[in-house]
Every structure is written in structure tokens, then in C-alpha cells.
Amino acid sequence: MSAVTSDDSQDRGGEAPSARGIGGLVLAAGLLLNPWFTGSLLARDGRVDQPLFLPVVLSIDVALVCAGAFLLVRSPVLGAKLRTAGLALASALVLLGIAAPARWAKNALHRAPTVPAKAEPGRAARPAHEAAVIREPAELRDWLHSTPNRFFYEGWIDQLELAFERAETSGRTRDRVVARMRLSDELLKFGRNDESREHLQRALELCTTPDEHGLLQIVRRKLAIALMRGGEVSHCIAHHNPESCLFPIRKGGVWAQPANAERAAELFETFLEDDPENLSAVWLLNLCHMVKGTYPDGLAPEHRIPPEVIDSTVDVPRFRDLAPALGLDVLDLAGGAVMDDMDGDGFLDVVTSTQDPAGSMHYFHNAGDGTFADWTERAGLAGQIGGLNLLQADYDDDGRLDLFLLRGAWFGPVFGRQRNSLLHQEPDGAFRDVSLESGIGEHAFPCLAGAWADYDLDGDLDLYVGNEDFPCELWRNEGNGTFVDVAREAGVENGTITKGVAWGDYDDDGDPDLYVSNLGGGNRFYRNEGDGTFTEIAELLGIGMKDSPTRARTFNSWFFDYDGDGKLDLFVAGFGALLKMVASDYLGKPASGEPLHLFRNLGGSFADVSAETGIDHVRLPMGGNYGDVDNDGWPDVYLATGGPAFESLVPNVLYKNLEGRRFVDATASAGVGHLQKGHGVAFGDLDNDGDQDVLAQMGGLYPADRFHNALFENAGTTNHWVTILLRGERSNHFGVGARIRVDVRRPEGGKRSIHVVAGSGGSFGASSLQQEIGLGDAEAIERVEIFWPASGLRQVVAGVPLDSFVLVHEGTQGFELLERKRVRLSG
């Protein structure tokens, strides 16, 4: 009897722990499963708030918790099959529950709220948990200046000063030096240059033993850079002139008081005695001698950058910076640029933005007499602050250009949650923020890349927004002033760090395809299937760049026909580079950074022709665009360069297109090699003289790294040109996406076709939507053919005169010859 009891107890003892184990698992599942987890599966913002769904989720949670607790307390004997099934079910639930926090956290980084930032009549108020992630423009200044973030929070200085004081009392030299260096870096970011240099000078004096030699080298370099920055502020900013910071620096760019440059040169020379192969120090040493007027003779031969490396080998029109004379030289941080006829009076205006959370957009109206007036307040744009990029488009086809301001880039998943602004131009010329009522303002992702196109060919413009660390958005225009994000359904979410967006019909099937340039991880190319969906085929076409050394650390990109064969080629700007890599490239030495890329369209596939066209250089382009600087009919490339670090003093660069065969550096010849940080670039004919001028929005990302915007006036050539304005009927009003072919007759019976796509050009900066087309040595225009995207109409126009402005309406025979007053820009 006792034996039986013993065996029964053993059986019970063997089963009871299993029951308890199941109970524990079920209890854990009940505790871990929650609305955040179900939301990560079902909701775009990673949370479920619907009143009908929440009770169901909570009921399941309660049931699981109660069942688990019952099993733990009662420990019932379960049958083997029931126990096995229960264990499997509970284990699965627990695995899901354990995955919930991670999945929710991932979605918190990759999804955005889909409700309005503020309650509107008839619309639900935003839930409290979302209030902290969508920031209105008016909130940005206080938020970013009062909350710890990498760019604008001055409170870091207080913390570093405390760390410095602790290090001073410790008595350890290394701690004292490192604390001073860290503090000096932050002081420099906020313009406290004298304090920064004082700390570095003292740190230099502290490094007195051989053990501290490596530290001494770092301090020398930092002090030299701080000295250079002080000189830039004193000369290039405080006493700005049209030649300030233009590379190679000559004449008016030479500093009147070169003491800072002289001391910096001494430090770089001492630095190079121990590290002679440090090419970034060689580069900066040459800049020191340029600004103090002793380049090249004042440099030792082993440190001299040969003048032939810098000078151009081709001639192009010489540009001059008229921004100071015209009052366009706004002192800004990094931002966007638009050059277009905002009010329809026949003269191109200038609109810029800035990343500065306290800095307003600027709208300069072209008065048509060579001067500009600041219309920022009049246009209602003074409250639009903090935008790193800017686009123009007539999204509602009312004939007036609207603006789209992109915010939050580089700030990361927390501080980048700044709402973009869609700005509708009203009949009186003022702009109204319609972000919320249009639907576009319901999301708040860090972004700087966007592009307009009629991807569904319904006659209105849709918008693709490339986000950083969040899914991208494809805003389908509903035709009634509202947009719907269909990126997920269309298959174009991307979901990495997007830095460039470009639309282009690469396969000539009539609808635009989409290229997305990412800062690492490979780029995407989405072929438009014509049914509202896209297929990703970048690697299939050889333009995904996943095998590049830096995994496609690329920035702005665009489609254009560089070789005149009528097919759209693709330019992709590599950005994965440091100053030393750029210096290496200039000196003809191996450079490991991501170079510039050019892919030639072979008729449905692409070939990488970067090397054979000579454009495969390592630069640091943040903005860029293309235009025809000499009206020869071949599109040239202008890149605005730089990086967040103060040492990133590399020139903007102009590449001249040699008849579609090769690109050569014409920067020095053109006089557009600005050394300060460059961002948005826009081409346009500001003075109606037939050649394209260039707007360059300048400035860095740190509060003190401001610079004056530049407006480079084109000196012009004798080449011919035509400017075509499009007016869509079934297609969008300004004809964005239309393909234009101009057939010309050349001397001695030669013929040539020039192909352009109507649009604003590159992906960081927006050129005029009037199509300014260089015709080279043409004797006559034989015909103009326009393919309209929405209607599919191929319209032929004959009799267009050379050197004229013409207006072409979709489906209307002939053209209208426009009278455009040519003006002389003041200055």
C-alpha cells in the first residue's frame, strides 16, 4: 500500500512542476502581451488606441494572467497530451510576448503618428503619448535649445565645465588635457572662439613629457583649426566680400590680418614634422598660406599642393558673387534653396531656408529692375523655421507655385520628429501652412530628401519624402487638396537613412520610376509598374551599390541626359569621405571614400561610366544640381560641399561636361569654389539674359557655423539658347516630368538633338521650372517635341526662334512668344 502511495506521489510530483511551469509561462505571456505589441503588428505608429480593439486586447491579457496564476497556485495534474499542448501554446505566447518590447521599440523608431498634431474641427485630438514626438515649427527653437541634443543644446558646455573642474583637481595631466579639448570643441560650436583657443593653448602647454606626445599632436591640430575658424569669422563673415572664401583664395579673399593663419600654419608645420603623410594637415596648411597670401612660394616643396592641381584646364564663363550687393547674402546655417518665378511676373525670385531652429525662411522678390526686395514677412514665411531643404511645386494646379519645407535631418529618431510644412500660395501671394489639412503634416520624421512627380499619371503631382531611420512616404495627391501616404502599399518604404530622391522614366514607358539614395546599406531603385505599385530592381540594374567599399554612403542624386542620346542617365553623389580622403584625391593619391558616380542608361539597363567620364572623384557634396553654365547644350554639374566638422574646408566644385564624353573640373575658371559649407543649389536665369545663374545656400549645422548665401551671376557666352515654359492641361500645370526634345541645325548642315526633362533638377536645391536650354552654335531650331506625361501626347512645335522665351500649352497648336525684359543685376 505504501509502495503504491509512493509511486502515486512520484507521478504527481513529476506532473506538478510541469503544471507550474505552464502556469508561469501563461502568466508571463499575459504580462508581456499588450497593446504595444499588437500595435507593432497592426498599427503604423506601433500602438493600438481604437476603443473597440483595446478591450479585446486587455481581456486576453487578463485571462492569461488569471489562468497562469490559477495553474501556479492549484498545480492541477494535467494529462500528458493536454500538458504538451499547453506547454507549446504557452511557450509560443511567451516568445511573442518577449518579442513585443523589441518589436515595439523598432516600430517606435520606424513608424510615425498618423493623427493630426493639433486638434482640428471634426478631427480627433492627438493622443497624449504622441504629443512628444510631433513638433510644430513654433516649438522648435525652445525645444532644441533647452533639451539635450547633438547640435543646439548649449547646456553641454555647463556639463563639460564641471568635468573640466573635476579634472583640474585630479592632478592627472591627461585628464586635464582631454577635459579642456572636449570643452573647447563645444565652445567652438557655439561661437565662443576665444575661450576655445585659450583652453587649447593651455592644453598645449600641459603636454610636456614624451608620454603625452600623441596627445600633443591632437591638441596642435585642434588649436590650428580653432585659429583658422577665428580668422574666418573675422574676415570672411565680419568683413564679407564677393571673393571671401573662394578657392583658390586670391586678391580679395586674402586676410587683412593674417596673425591667426600664421600661427595655425606654424602648428600644422610642427604637426607634419612628426606625421608628414597626414594629408588633411597638408591641405589645411596650404589653405593657411592662401589666406595669408603666401601660397605657393611660402610652402616647403614637400607640403605644397601644386597650382596645376587646383587650376582649371578648361574655360567657362566667369561668375561673380552678387549676393552682397543684392542683399541676398543671408547669414544662415545649412538649408535649402529655390530659384523660380513665385508670383508669375516673369522674373525669377529667390527663396531659402535654414536648419537653424530660430531661423526663418527668406523670400526675396525680383523687382525686375536689377534689385530684390525682402518679401518674407509679406509672404507669411517668417514663422517657418528650421528647414534643411526646400521644394517648389503647384500641387493643386491653381497656377501658383507652392512650397514644401523639410525638417529634422541629422537629428535622429527623437529630435528629428519635426513636422514638415506644406505651404500653399494664396491668391494674394501669401503662403498658408496647410500641412495638417492636407494630411502631410500628420507624420513627423527626420528628413531632407523629397521630390514631386505624377507617378500615377492622373494629372496632379504626388510627393515622395525620403526619411532617415523611418520608412519613406509616398503621398498620393487626391486632387482635392489632400494627400494619402501609400508608400507601404506601393512597396517604396525603404526604411533606412535616405539622403537623395529622384524621379525619372528610365525605361521610356511613360511613367516615372524612383531612385532612393541612402547613407549606407545600399540604394534602391523602384520601377513603376503602372498599377500603383513598384518593384525594387536596383541590384538587378547594377545601381544599388551594395558592393561599394562604403556600402553606398551616398547623398543627392538625379536623372539627366548627360550624353544627349535621349535616355535618362543617373548621377549619384558619394558622401562617405573625410577631409584626408578629399585631400588624397586632389593630390592624385588613392582615396578610400565613396566617390561620385555616373551611370549611363543603355536602354533599360545601366553601365557605371564614372571612371571613363572622369567624374569618379572623392568629394563631400551635401547639395548639388545640374545646369548648362555655358549654353553649349551639355548639362554641367555643380556640387556644394562640406561636413559638420569645422575642418571640412573643401571647395564647392563645378564639373564641365565635354560633349557627353567627359567631365572636367572647371571650378577655378568659373570662380565658384566656395570653401564654406554648401547645401542647396539652384540654377536659373535671374536677369533674363539667357544664361543660368547659380544660387548656393551656405552654412553648417552647428550654431556658430554660419555663412552668407551666394548668388553667382553668369558672365555669359555667345552660344544660343531657348527658354520654354510649359502649361499642362491634362498633365500638371507646370509640366513637371514632361520630356522635351529640341532639334537644331548647326553650321555646315550639321544637326543635333538636345533632351531635357522638365523639373527642378537635383535632390538638394530646386532650379527654375521654366526650362532653360542651351543650344550651342545652333543656327536655327528646326522643331521642338514635347511628351506630356499624363495625356501621353507627343506635341510638335515648329518655328521657335533662337534666344527666346516661349510658352507651350498642352494640346494647343503652336506657341506663344513671351516678352521678357532683360535686366542688369545691381552690383
Side-chain angles (χ1 to χ4, degrees), residues 194-208:
D194 292 342
E195 296 173 71
S196 175
R197 291 195 299 273
E198 288 171 7
H199 278 288
L200 290 170
Q201 182 60 45
R202 179 58 182 148
L204 192 71
E205 295 165 358
L206 288 171
C207 297
T208 57

Side-chain angles (χ1 to χ4, degrees), residues 247-248 310 312 318 586 638 651-655 664-674:
F247 182 85
I310 298 169
S312 302
R318 184 74 180 180
Y586 268 100
Y638 183 61
N652 292 356
V653 59
L654 173 67
Y655 288 107
V664 294
D665 190 336
T667 308
S669 176
V672 293
H674 217 300

Side-chain angles (χ1 to χ4, degrees), residues 34 58 96 160 222 246 259 318 323 363 417 457-458 463 491 502 590 609 633 646 648 650 723 753-754 774:
N34 50 56
L58 293 174
L96 290 174
L160 290 169
K222 284 182 176 291
L246 287 184
R318 184 74 180 180
Y363 173 15
R417 304 296 290 272
L457 302 181
D458 64 353
L463 174 65
V609 295
F646 282 99
S648 297
V650 293
T723 297
S753 296
I754 299 162

